Amino acid sequence: MGVGFEREDYQFLKELGLSPHNLGCFSGGIWKGNGPIITSVNPSDNKAIATVTEASLQDYEGSLNACVSARKMWMLTPAPKRGEIVRQIGDALRAKLSLLGRLLSLEMGKILAEGIGEVQEVIDMCDYAVGLSRQLNGSILPSERPNHAMMEVWNPLGIVGVITAFNFPCAVLGWNACIALVCGNCVVWKGAPSTPLVSIATTRLIAEVLERNGLPGAIFTCVCGGAEIGDAIAKDTRIPLVSFTGSTKVGQLVRNNVNARHGKTLLELSGNNAIIVMEDANLTLAVRSVLFAAVGTAGQRCTTCRRLIVHEKVYDEMVERLLKAYSQVKAGNPLEEGTLLGPLHSPLSKSSFENGIKAIKSQGGRILTGGLVMEREGNYVEPTVVEISHDAPIVREELFSPVLYVFKFQTLDEAIEMNNSVPQGLSSSIFTRNPETIFKWIGPTGSDCGIVNVNIPTNGAEIGGAFGGEKATGGGREAGSDSWKQYMHRATCTINYGSDLPLAQGINFGG
């Protein structure tokens, strides 16, 4: 497959340091690559963009050795100075915001506004982490012993492995790396094999900041590769924490490998998110929110709305309005203005959609709109709405495409039970104006998800709050709140500043 790098509309890639053939391993401050050669493909037409030589296992081993050599220096660098480096990374991303956002849209397939918005999210995370670098505070605790002081001290883990997925090839790195870096950890990043150009372009910007400040390049390592590199990260005892974003199936394998060596995992896995629409809901707001949550990113968000649970009194009106909105969604080149729906990421994703539709029909589902692959170049499918029994097996799965299931309910308890009935537990939302309903929803007998929203969609989380879910979603938390504690280890420290040991009174030790 010949590369299309010389196309006129691809010339902006050169401004990001990319070329027709790229090395995919940034190791100890040096670009290398001795592994397989892969091709980055534009999902809008399934044609080649450029090639990347991935890292070999030997390249990976050299990268980790460099990290081990650099980690002590970085751990001992004062946290506010680490924050200053992250601030400069944020500025480097700002300078290339539109270009990097365009690359992300080109290689992943999400519309341009979302591509630019994702890069902006990393910039925002940099800003957040800079402030955090002066707030990594422990605790002073009262001691029950006289002349003793007790405190909690937080120290870096040393090296953090970050394995990210194709659907957010830049933002998920930001959630992890910005916090890990200010906490004093070196970062080893393996991006998705199908978005290597985003990985390389982002790493180049970070590498330039490290070089400009006279810091070892091994503080941040990029290792493009497939499952063998991910497996090496999971099994590497030099990496105390592995953050993995992807499917529940693969996440379980990562967890097992890391647990076997007594390491720690931060898992962000599958979502099967529901929006509940109560009879008193603002339907205009609800329709807009459902459309945004179900169709955005072509249904390839972990926070995509996949289940719509509507009170029977407003069901017909809600569905009618939603179908009208769906009919106005414009599909097309994600880089073109006005496009609301880009392609699925790969031909495999398109095949999964087709297989999912077959399963839906075999399980009694009725297609209200969509359900077809579009007759055009690329991996385009129709946004789809389905009436189906909530007990159908397909409903318990995460079909990673723009497919929305709709159901009726009569009581709030029934709706909450439906929300909680799936294995996943990432995001959830309810539309209502009733305070009693709201507080039950967010309380102990309400949603069992990690994200519990009211009158907003299931997607679009803010970085200031901890992001993550329960059950088969993994239980991890990234970004805001006290998520930084996962990237450090806690030590309880007791200091005797007196001349006696109370527990040993009455014993003569001589001297």
Side-chain angles (χ1 to χ4, degrees), residues 3 5 18-23 37 50-53:
V3 297
F5 197 86
L18 297 171
S19 62
H21 308 286
N22 304 272
L23 297 176
I37 297 176
T51 63
V52 172
T53 304

Side-chain angles (χ1 to χ4, degrees), residues 42-44 100-119 121 165-172 175 195 198 295-302 332-336 339-345 380 400:
N42 178 351
S44 293
L100 192 55
R102 191 171 185 84
L103 166 61
L104 198 153
S105 180
L106 173 69
E107 191 174 39
M108 185 273 153
K110 62 179 61 176
I111 64 174
L112 184 57
E114 289 187 278
I116 292 174
E118 180 173 339
V119 179
E121 192 166 341
F166 74 83
N167 60 330
F168 281 88
C170 194
V172 176
W175 296 346
T195 54
V198 173
V295 177
T297 325
Q300 298 171 111
R301 289 173 178 255
C302 53
N333 186 334
L335 292 169
E336 292 180 359
T339 299
L340 294 178
L341 177 71
L344 293 178
H345 184 58
Y380 291 86
F400 217 55

